[in-house]
Amino acid sequence: NFFFNNLLSLKELHLSQNQISHIEREAFNQMKSLTHLDLSMNMIFRLDISRLFRNLRKITIIKLNANDE
């Protein structure tokens, strides 16, 4: 189970500038109401987007800018 699985009605998630380097493939799978996801300015080098974002049917904005190793 992932921390975000209980946040079913969350619409926006801002995780910028948190030194995140890895995100589990199914971390956001239960967040079906999510419309905005900000992962910018972290240390993310690679994402499996086919699994990571596959259940985000309402997503309109995903920010991934300024991610470095």
Side-chain angles (χ1 to χ4, degrees):
N1 290 339
F2 295 98
F3 175 78
F4 300 122
N5 282 354
N6 294 325
L7 304 174
L8 302 177
S9 61
L10 189 71
K11 294 184 189 257
E12 295 188 18
L13 182 58
H14 299 270
L15 296 172
S16 64
Q17 298 181 345
N18 279 291
Q19 298 182 351
I20 297 169
S21 60
H22 176 75
I23 300 173
E24 294 293 327
R25 285 187 252 181
E26 297 168 355
F28 307 116
N29 272 0
Q30 301 301 316
M31 302 182 75
K32 300 188 188 316
S33 298
L34 197 65
T35 60
H36 295 74
L37 177 60
D38 186 353
L39 295 168
S40 63
M41 294 184 263
N42 281 294
M43 298 167 37
I44 302 167
F45 178 66
R46 183 174 297 156
L47 290 173
D48 183 355
I49 60 171
S50 64
R51 285 193 170 177
L52 188 61
F53 305 133
R54 74 175 168 195
N55 289 333
L56 301 180
R57 308 266 187 236
K58 295 183 178 182
I59 199 81
T60 56
I61 296 173
I62 299 174
K63 293 183 180 179
L64 294 168
N65 58 297
N67 273 283
D68 299 310
E69 283 188 71

mmCIF file with all atom_site columns, all heavy atoms in Angstrom, residues 4-27:
data_model
loop_
_atom_site.group_PDB
_atom_site.id
_atom_site.type_symbol
_atom_site.label_atom_id
_atom_site.label_alt_id
_atom_site.label_comp_id
_atom_site.label_asym_id
_atom_site.label_entity_id
_atom_site.label_seq_id
_atom_site.pdbx_PDB_ins_code
_atom_site.Cartn_x
_atom_site.Cartn_y
_atom_site.Cartn_z
_atom_site.occupancy
_atom_site.B_iso_or_equiv
_atom_site.pdbx_formal_charge
_atom_site.auth_seq_id
_atom_site.auth_comp_id
_atom_site.auth_asym_id
_atom_site.auth_atom_id
_atom_site.pdbx_PDB_model_num
ATOM 1   N N   . PHE A 1 4  ? -0.446  7.581  -0.591  1.00 0.00 ? 4  PHE A N   1
ATOM 2   C CA  . PHE A 1 4  ? -1.456  8.372  -1.287  1.00 0.00 ? 4  PHE A CA  1
ATOM 3   C C   . PHE A 1 4  ? -2.747  7.617  -1.561  1.00 0.00 ? 4  PHE A C   1
ATOM 4   O O   . PHE A 1 4  ? -3.728  8.209  -1.990  1.00 0.00 ? 4  PHE A O   1
ATOM 5   C CB  . PHE A 1 4  ? -0.897  8.900  -2.616  1.00 0.00 ? 4  PHE A CB  1
ATOM 6   C CG  . PHE A 1 4  ? 0.309   9.774  -2.448  1.00 0.00 ? 4  PHE A CG  1
ATOM 7   C CD1 . PHE A 1 4  ? 1.491   9.454  -3.071  1.00 0.00 ? 4  PHE A CD1 1
ATOM 8   C CD2 . PHE A 1 4  ? 0.261   10.909 -1.665  1.00 0.00 ? 4  PHE A CD2 1
ATOM 9   C CE1 . PHE A 1 4  ? 2.613   10.255 -2.933  1.00 0.00 ? 4  PHE A CE1 1
ATOM 10  C CE2 . PHE A 1 4  ? 1.367   11.721 -1.514  1.00 0.00 ? 4  PHE A CE2 1
ATOM 11  C CZ  . PHE A 1 4  ? 2.549   11.397 -2.151  1.00 0.00 ? 4  PHE A CZ  1
ATOM 12  N N   . ASN A 1 5  ? -2.802  6.331  -1.324  1.00 0.00 ? 5  ASN A N   1
ATOM 13  C CA  . ASN A 1 5  ? -3.990  5.541  -1.656  1.00 0.00 ? 5  ASN A CA  1
ATOM 14  C C   . ASN A 1 5  ? -5.247  5.965  -0.914  1.00 0.00 ? 5  ASN A C   1
ATOM 15  O O   . ASN A 1 5  ? -6.347  5.740  -1.385  1.00 0.00 ? 5  ASN A O   1
ATOM 16  C CB  . ASN A 1 5  ? -3.734  4.054  -1.420  1.00 0.00 ? 5  ASN A CB  1
ATOM 17  C CG  . ASN A 1 5  ? -2.926  3.438  -2.544  1.00 0.00 ? 5  ASN A CG  1
ATOM 18  O OD1 . ASN A 1 5  ? -2.652  4.079  -3.544  1.00 0.00 ? 5  ASN A OD1 1
ATOM 19  N ND2 . ASN A 1 5  ? -2.539  2.201  -2.370  1.00 0.00 ? 5  ASN A ND2 1
ATOM 20  N N   . ASN A 1 6  ? -5.123  6.574  0.246   1.00 0.00 ? 6  ASN A N   1
ATOM 21  C CA  . ASN A 1 6  ? -6.298  6.991  1.012   1.00 0.00 ? 6  ASN A CA  1
ATOM 22  C C   . ASN A 1 6  ? -6.784  8.386  0.658   1.00 0.00 ? 6  ASN A C   1
ATOM 23  O O   . ASN A 1 6  ? -7.754  8.862  1.229   1.00 0.00 ? 6  ASN A O   1
ATOM 24  C CB  . ASN A 1 6  ? -5.992  6.915  2.515   1.00 0.00 ? 6  ASN A CB  1
ATOM 25  C CG  . ASN A 1 6  ? -5.777  5.488  2.960   1.00 0.00 ? 6  ASN A CG  1
ATOM 26  O OD1 . ASN A 1 6  ? -6.413  4.572  2.451   1.00 0.00 ? 6  ASN A OD1 1
ATOM 27  N ND2 . ASN A 1 6  ? -4.877  5.296  3.885   1.00 0.00 ? 6  ASN A ND2 1
ATOM 28  N N   . LEU A 1 7  ? -6.138  9.038  -0.272  1.00 0.00 ? 7  LEU A N   1
ATOM 29  C CA  . LEU A 1 7  ? -6.492  10.404 -0.642  1.00 0.00 ? 7  LEU A CA  1
ATOM 30  C C   . LEU A 1 7  ? -7.336  10.391 -1.916  1.00 0.00 ? 7  LEU A C   1
ATOM 31  O O   . LEU A 1 7  ? -7.006  10.999 -2.919  1.00 0.00 ? 7  LEU A O   1
ATOM 32  C CB  . LEU A 1 7  ? -5.215  11.235 -0.834  1.00 0.00 ? 7  LEU A CB  1
ATOM 33  C CG  . LEU A 1 7  ? -4.277  11.268 0.372   1.00 0.00 ? 7  LEU A CG  1
ATOM 34  C CD1 . LEU A 1 7  ? -2.988  11.979 0.029   1.00 0.00 ? 7  LEU A CD1 1
ATOM 35  C CD2 . LEU A 1 7  ? -4.955  11.919 1.567   1.00 0.00 ? 7  LEU A CD2 1
ATOM 36  N N   . LEU A 1 8  ? -8.467  9.737  -1.854  1.00 0.00 ? 8  LEU A N   1
ATOM 37  C CA  . LEU A 1 8  ? -9.289  9.484  -3.037  1.00 0.00 ? 8  LEU A CA  1
ATOM 38  C C   . LEU A 1 8  ? -9.908  10.735 -3.648  1.00 0.00 ? 8  LEU A C   1
ATOM 39  O O   . LEU A 1 8  ? -10.162 10.782 -4.848  1.00 0.00 ? 8  LEU A O   1
ATOM 40  C CB  . LEU A 1 8  ? -10.386 8.479  -2.695  1.00 0.00 ? 8  LEU A CB  1
ATOM 41  C CG  . LEU A 1 8  ? -9.901  7.132  -2.164  1.00 0.00 ? 8  LEU A CG  1
ATOM 42  C CD1 . LEU A 1 8  ? -11.081 6.254  -1.798  1.00 0.00 ? 8  LEU A CD1 1
ATOM 43  C CD2 . LEU A 1 8  ? -8.997  6.456  -3.168  1.00 0.00 ? 8  LEU A CD2 1
ATOM 44  N N   . SER A 1 9  ? -10.181 11.756 -2.854  1.00 0.00 ? 9  SER A N   1
ATOM 45  C CA  . SER A 1 9  ? -10.833 12.946 -3.389  1.00 0.00 ? 9  SER A CA  1
ATOM 46  C C   . SER A 1 9  ? -9.874  14.117 -3.607  1.00 0.00 ? 9  SER A C   1
ATOM 47  O O   . SER A 1 9  ? -10.293 15.198 -3.989  1.00 0.00 ? 9  SER A O   1
ATOM 48  C CB  . SER A 1 9  ? -11.978 13.382 -2.472  1.00 0.00 ? 9  SER A CB  1
ATOM 49  O OG  . SER A 1 9  ? -11.481 13.690 -1.192  1.00 0.00 ? 9  SER A OG  1
ATOM 50  N N   . LEU A 1 10 ? -8.588  13.886 -3.402  1.00 0.00 ? 10 LEU A N   1
ATOM 51  C CA  . LEU A 1 10 ? -7.593  14.935 -3.588  1.00 0.00 ? 10 LEU A CA  1
ATOM 52  C C   . LEU A 1 10 ? -7.529  15.351 -5.055  1.00 0.00 ? 10 LEU A C   1
ATOM 53  O O   . LEU A 1 10 ? -7.456  14.503 -5.941  1.00 0.00 ? 10 LEU A O   1
ATOM 54  C CB  . LEU A 1 10 ? -6.221  14.435 -3.136  1.00 0.00 ? 10 LEU A CB  1
ATOM 55  C CG  . LEU A 1 10 ? -5.127  15.490 -3.069  1.00 0.00 ? 10 LEU A CG  1
ATOM 56  C CD1 . LEU A 1 10 ? -5.390  16.431 -1.899  1.00 0.00 ? 10 LEU A CD1 1
ATOM 57  C CD2 . LEU A 1 10 ? -3.771  14.835 -2.918  1.00 0.00 ? 10 LEU A CD2 1
ATOM 58  N N   . LYS A 1 11 ? -7.556  16.657 -5.301  1.00 0.00 ? 11 LYS A N   1
ATOM 59  C CA  . LYS A 1 11 ? -7.536  17.158 -6.671  1.00 0.00 ? 11 LYS A CA  1
ATOM 60  C C   . LYS A 1 11 ? -6.166  17.685 -7.086  1.00 0.00 ? 11 LYS A C   1
ATOM 61  O O   . LYS A 1 11 ? -5.800  17.608 -8.244  1.00 0.00 ? 11 LYS A O   1
ATOM 62  C CB  . LYS A 1 11 ? -8.579  18.250 -6.847  1.00 0.00 ? 11 LYS A CB  1
ATOM 63  C CG  . LYS A 1 11 ? -9.980  17.713 -6.713  1.00 0.00 ? 11 LYS A CG  1
ATOM 64  C CD  . LYS A 1 11 ? -11.008 18.782 -6.973  1.00 0.00 ? 11 LYS A CD  1
ATOM 65  C CE  . LYS A 1 11 ? -12.367 18.269 -6.613  1.00 0.00 ? 11 LYS A CE  1
ATOM 66  N NZ  . LYS A 1 11 ? -13.189 17.896 -7.677  1.00 0.00 ? 11 LYS A NZ  1
ATOM 67  N N   . GLU A 1 12 ? -5.420  18.243 -6.143  1.00 0.00 ? 12 GLU A N   1
ATOM 68  C CA  . GLU A 1 12 ? -4.101  18.788 -6.449  1.00 0.00 ? 12 GLU A CA  1
ATOM 69  C C   . GLU A 1 12 ? -3.076  18.245 -5.470  1.00 0.00 ? 12 GLU A C   1
ATOM 70  O O   . GLU A 1 12 ? -3.328  18.197 -4.271  1.00 0.00 ? 12 GLU A O   1
ATOM 71  C CB  . GLU A 1 12 ? -4.111  20.313 -6.368  1.00 0.00 ? 12 GLU A CB  1
ATOM 72  C CG  . GLU A 1 12 ? -4.983  20.953 -7.414  1.00 0.00 ? 12 GLU A CG  1
ATOM 73  C CD  . GLU A 1 12 ? -4.836  22.465 -7.465  1.00 0.00 ? 12 GLU A CD  1
ATOM 74  O OE1 . GLU A 1 12 ? -3.837  23.004 -6.938  1.00 0.00 ? 12 GLU A OE1 1
ATOM 75  O OE2 . GLU A 1 12 ? -5.727  23.103 -8.034  1.00 0.00 ? 12 GLU A OE2 1
ATOM 76  N N   . LEU A 1 13 ? -1.917  17.864 -6.012  1.00 0.00 ? 13 LEU A N   1
ATOM 77  C CA  . LEU A 1 13 ? -0.828  17.366 -5.193  1.00 0.00 ? 13 LEU A CA  1
ATOM 78  C C   . LEU A 1 13 ? 0.452   18.065 -5.628  1.00 0.00 ? 13 LEU A C   1
ATOM 79  O O   . LEU A 1 13 ? 0.889   17.937 -6.767  1.00 0.00 ? 13 LEU A O   1
ATOM 80  C CB  . LEU A 1 13 ? -0.683  15.851 -5.343  1.00 0.00 ? 13 LEU A CB  1
ATOM 81  C CG  . LEU A 1 13 ? 0.391   15.186 -4.506  1.00 0.00 ? 13 LEU A CG  1
ATOM 82  C CD1 . LEU A 1 13 ? 0.179   15.431 -3.021  1.00 0.00 ? 13 LEU A CD1 1
ATOM 83  C CD2 . LEU A 1 13 ? 0.418   13.690 -4.799  1.00 0.00 ? 13 LEU A CD2 1
ATOM 84  N N   . HIS A 1 14 ? 1.006   18.862 -4.713  1.00 0.00 ? 14 HIS A N   1
ATOM 85  C CA  . HIS A 1 14 ? 2.215   19.635 -4.999  1.00 0.00 ? 14 HIS A CA  1
ATOM 86  C C   . HIS A 1 14 ? 3.376   19.043 -4.219  1.00 0.00 ? 14 HIS A C   1
ATOM 87  O O   . HIS A 1 14 ? 3.423   19.145 -2.998  1.00 0.00 ? 14 HIS A O   1
ATOM 88  C CB  . HIS A 1 14 ? 2.000   21.103 -4.619  1.00 0.00 ? 14 HIS A CB  1
ATOM 89  C CG  . HIS A 1 14 ? 0.893   21.746 -5.384  1.00 0.00 ? 14 HIS A CG  1
ATOM 90  N ND1 . HIS A 1 14 ? 1.109   22.381 -6.587  1.00 0.00 ? 14 HIS A ND1 1
ATOM 91  C CD2 . HIS A 1 14 ? -0.425  21.821 -5.144  1.00 0.00 ? 14 HIS A CD2 1
ATOM 92  C CE1 . HIS A 1 14 ? -0.048  22.825 -7.046  1.00 0.00 ? 14 HIS A CE1 1
ATOM 93  N NE2 . HIS A 1 14 ? -0.991  22.492 -6.186  1.00 0.00 ? 14 HIS A NE2 1
ATOM 94  N N   . LEU A 1 15 ? 4.296   18.422 -4.944  1.00 0.00 ? 15 LEU A N   1
ATOM 95  C CA  . LEU A 1 15 ? 5.453   17.775 -4.336  1.00 0.00 ? 15 LEU A CA  1
ATOM 96  C C   . LEU A 1 15 ? 6.758   18.364 -4.856  1.00 0.00 ? 15 LEU A C   1
ATOM 97  O O   . LEU A 1 15 ? 7.797   17.717 -4.836  1.00 0.00 ? 15 LEU A O   1
ATOM 98  C CB  . LEU A 1 15 ? 5.415   16.263 -4.615  1.00 0.00 ? 15 LEU A CB  1
ATOM 99  C CG  . LEU A 1 15 ? 4.251   15.507 -3.999  1.00 0.00 ? 15 LEU A CG  1
ATOM 100 C CD1 . LEU A 1 15 ? 4.209   14.078 -4.508  1.00 0.00 ? 15 LEU A CD1 1
ATOM 101 C CD2 . LEU A 1 15 ? 4.342   15.536 -2.477  1.00 0.00 ? 15 LEU A CD2 1
ATOM 102 N N   . SER A 1 16 ? 6.727   19.592 -5.295  1.00 0.00 ? 16 SER A N   1
ATOM 103 C CA  . SER A 1 16 ? 7.936   20.207 -5.837  1.00 0.00 ? 16 SER A CA  1
ATOM 104 C C   . SER A 1 16 ? 8.933   20.506 -4.722  1.00 0.00 ? 16 SER A C   1
ATOM 105 O O   . SER A 1 16 ? 8.566   20.669 -3.557  1.00 0.00 ? 16 SER A O   1
ATOM 106 C CB  . SER A 1 16 ? 7.594   21.493 -6.592  1.00 0.00 ? 16 SER A CB  1
ATOM 107 O OG  . SER A 1 16 ? 7.066   22.454 -5.708  1.00 0.00 ? 16 SER A OG  1
ATOM 108 N N   . GLN A 1 17 ? 10.198  20.534 -5.090  1.00 0.00 ? 17 GLN A N   1
ATOM 109 C CA  . GLN A 1 17 ? 11.313  20.866 -4.204  1.00 0.00 ? 17 GLN A CA  1
ATOM 110 C C   . GLN A 1 17 ? 11.366  19.980 -2.956  1.00 0.00 ? 17 GLN A C   1
ATOM 111 O O   . GLN A 1 17 ? 11.534  20.464 -1.835  1.00 0.00 ? 17 GLN A O   1
ATOM 112 C CB  . GLN A 1 17 ? 11.258  22.339 -3.797  1.00 0.00 ? 17 GLN A CB  1
ATOM 113 C CG  . GLN A 1 17 ? 11.371  23.268 -4.972  1.00 0.00 ? 17 GLN A CG  1
ATOM 114 C CD  . GLN A 1 17 ? 11.341  24.726 -4.570  1.00 0.00 ? 17 GLN A CD  1
ATOM 115 O OE1 . GLN A 1 17 ? 10.974  25.082 -3.465  1.00 0.00 ? 17 GLN A OE1 1
ATOM 116 N NE2 . GLN A 1 17 ? 11.723  25.579 -5.497  1.00 0.00 ? 17 GLN A NE2 1
ATOM 117 N N   . ASN A 1 18 ? 11.242  18.678 -3.142  1.00 0.00 ? 18 ASN A N   1
ATOM 118 C CA  . ASN A 1 18 ? 11.291  17.733 -2.033  1.00 0.00 ? 18 ASN A CA  1
ATOM 119 C C   . ASN A 1 18 ? 12.415  16.717 -2.157  1.00 0.00 ? 18 ASN A C   1
ATOM 120 O O   . ASN A 1 18 ? 12.443  15.738 -1.425  1.00 0.00 ? 18 ASN A O   1
ATOM 121 C CB  . ASN A 1 18 ? 9.957   16.990 -1.910  1.00 0.00 ? 18 ASN A CB  1
ATOM 122 C CG  . ASN A 1 18 ? 8.926   17.810 -1.191  1.00 0.00 ? 18 ASN A CG  1
ATOM 123 O OD1 . ASN A 1 18 ? 9.039   18.049 -0.005  1.00 0.00 ? 18 ASN A OD1 1
ATOM 124 N ND2 . ASN A 1 18 ? 7.920   18.262 -1.928  1.00 0.00 ? 18 ASN A ND2 1
ATOM 125 N N   . GLN A 1 19 ? 13.316  16.919 -3.084  1.00 0.00 ? 19 GLN A N   1
ATOM 126 C CA  . GLN A 1 19 ? 14.452  16.019 -3.312  1.00 0.00 ? 19 GLN A CA  1
ATOM 127 C C   . GLN A 1 19 ? 14.005  14.580 -3.594  1.00 0.00 ? 19 GLN A C   1
ATOM 128 O O   . GLN A 1 19 ? 14.674  13.620 -3.226  1.00 0.00 ? 19 GLN A O   1
ATOM 129 C CB  . GLN A 1 19 ? 15.431  16.066 -2.134  1.00 0.00 ? 19 GLN A CB  1
ATOM 130 C CG  . GLN A 1 19 ? 16.025  17.426 -1.935  1.00 0.00 ? 19 GLN A CG  1
ATOM 131 C CD  . GLN A 1 19 ? 17.028  17.478 -0.800  1.00 0.00 ? 19 GLN A CD  1
ATOM 132 O OE1 . GLN A 1 19 ? 17.179  16.535 -0.037  1.00 0.00 ? 19 GLN A OE1 1
ATOM 133 N NE2 . GLN A 1 19 ? 17.719  18.588 -0.699  1.00 0.00 ? 19 GLN A NE2 1
ATOM 134 N N   . ILE A 1 20 ? 12.863  14.431 -4.246  1.00 0.00 ? 20 ILE A N   1
ATOM 135 C CA  . ILE A 1 20 ? 12.352  13.110 -4.621  1.00 0.00 ? 20 ILE A CA  1
ATOM 136 C C   . ILE A 1 20 ? 13.209  12.578 -5.765  1.00 0.00 ? 20 ILE A C   1
ATOM 137 O O   . ILE A 1 20 ? 13.432  13.269 -6.758  1.00 0.00 ? 20 ILE A O   1
ATOM 138 C CB  . ILE A 1 20 ? 10.874  13.194 -5.052  1.00 0.00 ? 20 ILE A CB  1
ATOM 139 C CG1 . ILE A 1 20 ? 10.010  13.655 -3.882  1.00 0.00 ? 20 ILE A CG1 1
ATOM 140 C CG2 . ILE A 1 20 ? 10.394  11.856 -5.606  1.00 0.00 ? 20 ILE A CG2 1
ATOM 141 C CD1 . ILE A 1 20 ? 8.599   14.029 -4.265  1.00 0.00 ? 20 ILE A CD1 1
ATOM 142 N N   . SER A 1 21 ? 13.682  11.357 -5.617  1.00 0.00 ? 21 SER A N   1
ATOM 143 C CA  . SER A 1 21 ? 14.496  10.766 -6.681  1.00 0.00 ? 21 SER A CA  1
ATOM 144 C C   . SER A 1 21 ? 13.837  9.532  -7.286  1.00 0.00 ? 21 SER A C   1
ATOM 145 O O   . SER A 1 21 ? 14.192  9.114  -8.380  1.00 0.00 ? 21 SER A O   1
ATOM 146 C CB  . SER A 1 21 ? 15.880  10.398 -6.155  1.00 0.00 ? 21 SER A CB  1
ATOM 147 O OG  . SER A 1 21 ? 15.768  9.470  -5.101  1.00 0.00 ? 21 SER A OG  1
ATOM 148 N N   . HIS A 1 22 ? 12.876  8.953  -6.591  1.00 0.00 ? 22 HIS A N   1
ATOM 149 C CA  . HIS A 1 22 ? 12.218  7.735  -7.070  1.00 0.00 ? 22 HIS A CA  1
ATOM 150 C C   . HIS A 1 22 ? 10.748  7.754  -6.657  1.00 0.00 ? 22 HIS A C   1
ATOM 151 O O   . HIS A 1 22 ? 10.422  8.158  -5.555  1.00 0.00 ? 22 HIS A O   1
ATOM 152 C CB  . HIS A 1 22 ? 12.907  6.511  -6.468  1.00 0.00 ? 22 HIS A CB  1
ATOM 153 C CG  . HIS A 1 22 ? 12.245  5.226  -6.840  1.00 0.00 ? 22 HIS A CG  1
ATOM 154 N ND1 . HIS A 1 22 ? 12.378  4.673  -8.100  1.00 0.00 ? 22 HIS A ND1 1
ATOM 155 C CD2 . HIS A 1 22 ? 11.441  4.407  -6.151  1.00 0.00 ? 22 HIS A CD2 1
ATOM 156 C CE1 . HIS A 1 22 ? 11.678  3.550  -8.144  1.00 0.00 ? 22 HIS A CE1 1
ATOM 157 N NE2 . HIS A 1 22 ? 11.101  3.374  -6.972  1.00 0.00 ? 22 HIS A NE2 1
ATOM 158 N N   . ILE A 1 23 ? 9.900   7.311  -7.573  1.00 0.00 ? 23 ILE A N   1
ATOM 159 C CA  . ILE A 1 23 ? 8.471   7.179  -7.281  1.00 0.00 ? 23 ILE A CA  1
ATOM 160 C C   . ILE A 1 23 ? 8.047   5.782  -7.701  1.00 0.00 ? 23 ILE A C   1
ATOM 161 O O   . ILE A 1 23 ? 8.316   5.362  -8.831  1.00 0.00 ? 23 ILE A O   1
ATOM 162 C CB  . ILE A 1 23 ? 7.635   8.223  -8.048  1.00 0.00 ? 23 ILE A CB  1
ATOM 163 C CG1 . ILE A 1 23 ? 8.074   9.636  -7.646  1.00 0.00 ? 23 ILE A CG1 1
ATOM 164 C CG2 . ILE A 1 23 ? 6.148   8.030  -7.769  1.00 0.00 ? 23 ILE A CG2 1
ATOM 165 C CD1 . ILE A 1 23 ? 7.420   10.718 -8.458  1.00 0.00 ? 23 ILE A CD1 1
ATOM 166 N N   . GLU A 1 24 ? 7.411   5.076  -6.803  1.00 0.00 ? 24 GLU A N   1
ATOM 167 C CA  . GLU A 1 24 ? 6.930   3.730  -7.112  1.00 0.00 ? 24 GLU A CA  1
ATOM 168 C C   . GLU A 1 24 ? 5.963   3.774  -8.287  1.00 0.00 ? 24 GLU A C   1
ATOM 169 O O   . GLU A 1 24 ? 5.182   4.724  -8.431  1.00 0.00 ? 24 GLU A O   1
ATOM 170 C CB  . GLU A 1 24 ? 6.236   3.113  -5.898  1.00 0.00 ? 24 GLU A CB  1
ATOM 171 C CG  . GLU A 1 24 ? 7.156   2.854  -4.734  1.00 0.00 ? 24 GLU A CG  1
ATOM 172 C CD  . GLU A 1 24 ? 8.180   1.780  -5.023  1.00 0.00 ? 24 GLU A CD  1
ATOM 173 O OE1 . GLU A 1 24 ? 7.869   0.831  -5.766  1.00 0.00 ? 24 GLU A OE1 1
ATOM 174 O OE2 . GLU A 1 24 ? 9.293   1.892  -4.506  1.00 0.00 ? 24 GLU A OE2 1
ATOM 175 N N   . ARG A 1 25 ? 5.967   2.746  -9.108  1.00 0.00 ? 25 ARG A N   1
ATOM 176 C CA  . ARG A 1 25 ? 5.162   2.706  -10.342 1.00 0.00 ? 25 ARG A CA  1
ATOM 177 C C   . ARG A 1 25 ? 3.671   2.910  -10.125 1.00 0.00 ? 25 ARG A C   1
ATOM 178 O O   . ARG A 1 25 ? 2.982   3.443  -10.971 1.00 0.00 ? 25 ARG A O   1
ATOM 179 C CB  . ARG A 1 25 ? 5.361   1.385  -11.064 1.00 0.00 ? 25 ARG A CB  1
ATOM 180 C CG  . ARG A 1 25 ? 6.661   1.282  -11.757 1.00 0.00 ? 25 ARG A CG  1
ATOM 181 C CD  . ARG A 1 25 ? 6.677   0.043  -12.557 1.00 0.00 ? 25 ARG A CD  1
ATOM 182 N NE  . ARG A 1 25 ? 7.581   -0.893 -11.904 1.00 0.00 ? 25 ARG A NE  1
ATOM 183 C CZ  . ARG A 1 25 ? 7.844   -2.085 -12.350 1.00 0.00 ? 25 ARG A CZ  1
ATOM 184 N NH1 . ARG A 1 25 ? 7.258   -2.526 -13.430 1.00 0.00 ? 25 ARG A NH1 1
ATOM 185 N NH2 . ARG A 1 25 ? 8.687   -2.852 -11.727 1.00 0.00 ? 25 ARG A NH2 1
ATOM 186 N N   . GLU A 1 26 ? 3.158   2.476  -9.006  1.00 0.00 ? 26 GLU A N   1
ATOM 187 C CA  . GLU A 1 26 ? 1.713   2.555  -8.777  1.00 0.00 ? 26 GLU A CA  1
ATOM 188 C C   . GLU A 1 26 ? 1.363   3.517  -7.643  1.00 0.00 ? 26 GLU A C   1
ATOM 189 O O   . GLU A 1 26 ? 0.305   3.422  -7.042  1.00 0.00 ? 26 GLU A O   1
ATOM 190 C CB  . GLU A 1 26 ? 1.189   1.151  -8.519  1.00 0.00 ? 26 GLU A CB  1
ATOM 191 C CG  . GLU A 1 26 ? 1.403   0.276  -9.744  1.00 0.00 ? 26 GLU A CG  1
ATOM 192 C CD  . GLU A 1 26 ? 1.178   -1.200 -9.480  1.00 0.00 ? 26 GLU A CD  1
ATOM 193 O OE1 . GLU A 1 26 ? 0.949   -1.584 -8.332  1.00 0.00 ? 26 GLU A OE1 1
ATOM 194 O OE2 . GLU A 1 26 ? 1.243   -1.962 -10.459 1.00 0.00 ? 26 GLU A OE2 1
ATOM 195 N N   . ALA A 1 27 ? 2.223   4.488  -7.392  1.00 0.00 ? 27 ALA A N   1
ATOM 196 C CA  . ALA A 1 27 ? 2.054   5.414  -6.266  1.00 0.00 ? 27 ALA A CA  1
ATOM 197 C C   . ALA A 1 27 ? 0.759   6.221  -6.337  1.00 0.00 ? 27 ALA A C   1
ATOM 198 O O   . ALA A 1 27 ? 0.168   6.533  -5.308  1.00 0.00 ? 27 ALA A O   1
ATOM 199 C CB  . ALA A 1 27 ? 3.242   6.359  -6.192  1.00 0.00 ? 27 ALA A CB  1
#
